[in-house]
Structures are given as C-alpha cells and as structure tokens.
C-alpha cells in the first residue's frame, strides 16, 4: 500500500444501477423524505385494509362440446 493511495478497488461499471437517480454532491436520492407518513410506503397505493369487498372474479373455463 502506498501512502495517500486508495486501499480498495474502484466501482465496477457492470455493477452500477443505471436507473439510480443522479443527485448533486451531498444530496440523497431518497423518496421516503417526501412521504406523508412515517414508515415504509405501501406497494398497494392508497388502499386501506381490510377491504369491504374484494374486486376479484375467479376465471372459469367453459368447455365447448
């Protein structure tokens, strides 16, 4: 190791996520800071559980004879 040199390897280009947002130096690409509630955001959107009814119909196969 040389004095004042780097200790580890540099970032590998194939391991960098191209969709990661670019922010100015010192910024943080975190969307939770803009959230109206504390904790993780729901992947279901604005739905509140339990639901009064479930909007799902099970598919039924009718065989033509």
């Amino acid at each position: 190791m040389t004095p004042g040199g780097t200790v580890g390897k540099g970032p590998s280009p194939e391991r960098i996520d191209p969709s990661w947002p670019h922010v100015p130096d010192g910024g943080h690409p975190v969307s939770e800071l803009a959230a109206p509630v504390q904790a993780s955001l729901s992947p279901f959107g604005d739905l509140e559980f339990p639901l009064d009814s479930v909007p799902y119909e099970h598919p039924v196969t009718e065989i033509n004879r």
Side-chain angles (χ1 to χ4, degrees):
M1 181 169 97
T2 60
T6 58
V7 178
K9 296 179 183 178
S12 177
E14 66 268 1
R15 301 213 21 132
I16 296 175
D17 185 6
S19 64
W20 189 258
H22 296 285
V23 296
D25 289 338
H28 298 283
V30 180
S31 61
E32 286 86 359
L33 296 176
V37 294
Q38 186 177 16
S40 62
L41 300 175
S42 172
F44 301 106
D46 294 333
L47 294 176
E48 291 189 18
F49 292 96
L51 297 175
D52 294 331
S53 64
V54 180
Y56 173 78
E57 291 183 26
H58 190 74
V60 178
T61 304
E62 295 182 16
I63 300 174
N64 293 330
R65 292 189 179 205

